[in-house]
């Protein structure tokens, strides 16, 4: 009889333990995000441009474009970082070239989260924005360029940035030729220099030293070019305070750029 009672008790206990289920709870480290939650929503258009290089409306448009790739869902164990906040984290990194730790403290997220936001944002931009905002010439266009070059006579071989015929719009990177004696050469050179200056002034990650993985750096550069064209298309304000100081440009960029250009010219000349 005692054994039957013990068996029944054990059975009841097993059933109770099997039916008992702990209530799921969302877990995450307690991070302070007061700046993003309370300060940023009160930003004016000027403050949005100063901090994120674009108006809030443009950021919302950007989130809509990238939503098919960047959208995340909350799980049983934790809530995901909202898409708009993740995009803002990536924009802050591209605009300021700040470290992951300082960005994490500012937005109230971990260092790994910041890195993933930047990586996923750039990958999404490379997939959805770059094909739409940066036009690469096809084979027919390259043949037209080659014929034009042959008819112009003396040329200088180099690697250069082609720009749209509008100030401040970088278009693509390609191997090609600078045409000497062309009447439009000074204007084209000015457009290219203006595009480079605005690109580096607006997105400091292409201006300063970048310690990211080489594949991520490539994606970041393409993303910055696409974002630059997007801001131009939306009529965003470019602050003159973002311009690169001439002394810094002449000391760091000009000398290094001349060496790279000379090396490329020698290499291309030997190959031809």
């Amino acid at each position: 009889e005692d054994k039957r009672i013990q068996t029944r008790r054990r059975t009841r206990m097993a059933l109770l333990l099997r039916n008992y289920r702990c209530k799921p709870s969302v877990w995450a480290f307690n991070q302070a995000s007061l700046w993003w939650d309370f300060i940023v929503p009160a930003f004016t258009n000027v403050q949005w441009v100063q901090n994120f290089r674009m108006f809030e409306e443009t950021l919302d448009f950007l989130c809509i474009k990238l939503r098919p790739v960047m959208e995340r869902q909350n799980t049983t164990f934790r809530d995901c970082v909202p898409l708009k906040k993740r995009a803002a984290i990536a924009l802050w990194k591209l605009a300021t070239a700040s470290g992951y730790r300082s960005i994490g403290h500012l937005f109230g997220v971990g260092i790994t989260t910041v890195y993933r936001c930047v990586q996923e944002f750039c990958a999404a931009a490379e997939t959805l924005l770059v094909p739409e905002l940066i036009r690469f010439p096809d084979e027919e266009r390259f043949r037209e360029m080659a014929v034009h070059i042959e008819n112009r006579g003396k040329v200088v071989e180099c690697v250069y940035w082609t720009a749209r015929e509008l100030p401040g719009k970088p278009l693509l990177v390609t191997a090609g030729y600078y045409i000497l004696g062309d009447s439009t050469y000074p204007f084209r050179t000015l457009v290219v220099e203006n595009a480079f200056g605005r690109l580096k002034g607006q997105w400091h990650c292409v201006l300063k030293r970048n310690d990211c993985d080489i594949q991520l750096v490539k994606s970041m550069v393409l993303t910055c070019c696409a974002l630059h064209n997007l801001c131009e298309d939306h009529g965003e304000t470019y602050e003159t305070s973002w311009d690169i100081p001439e002394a810094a440009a002449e000391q760091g960029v000009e000398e290094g750029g001349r060496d790279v250009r000379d090396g490329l010219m020698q290499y291309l000349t030997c190959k031809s």
Side-chain angles (χ1 to χ4, degrees), residues 111-170:
I111 298 176
T112 303
T113 301
V114 176
Y115 177 79
R116 288 177 178 173
C117 289
V118 175
Q119 189 179 42
E120 293 173 0
F121 179 86
C122 291
E126 195 171 355
T127 300
L128 299 176
L129 294 183
V130 171
E132 179 180 336
L133 295 171
I134 301 180
R135 305 171 187 172
F136 293 89
D138 53 17
E139 182 178 355
E140 182 179 356
R141 176 55 180 161
F142 272 123
R143 292 184 182 277
E144 293 178 357
M145 294 167 60
V147 172
H148 179 71
I149 289 169
E150 291 177 357
N151 294 333
R152 298 303 300 182
K154 186 178 180 181
V155 298
V156 176
E157 293 178 316
C158 63
V159 173
Y160 68 97
W161 281 78
T162 303
R164 298 180 185 176
E165 295 302 314
L166 292 174
K169 285 215 171 186

Side-chain angles (χ1 to χ4, degrees), residues 157-225:
E157 293 178 316
C158 63
V159 173
Y160 68 97
W161 281 78
T162 303
R164 298 180 185 176
E165 295 302 314
L166 292 174
K169 285 215 171 186
L171 183 59
L172 57 92
V173 182
T174 180
Y177 301 83
Y178 269 155
I179 302 171
L180 299 183
D182 190 344
S183 60
T184 63
Y185 175 76
F187 172 73
R188 292 180 180 178
T189 303
L190 180 61
V191 171
V192 173
E193 292 179 353
N194 188 26
F196 260 123
R198 290 168 66 95
L199 178 68
K200 293 186 291 185
Q202 194 170 16
W203 308 105
H204 284 183
C205 70
V206 297
L207 170 64
K208 300 180 181 180
R209 174 182 174 182
N210 197 323
D211 295 326
C212 297
D213 179 81
I214 186 64
Q215 293 299 324
L216 180 56
V217 171
K218 173 186 174 182
S219 184
M220 291 171 70
V221 172
L222 287 173
T223 300
C224 288
C225 293

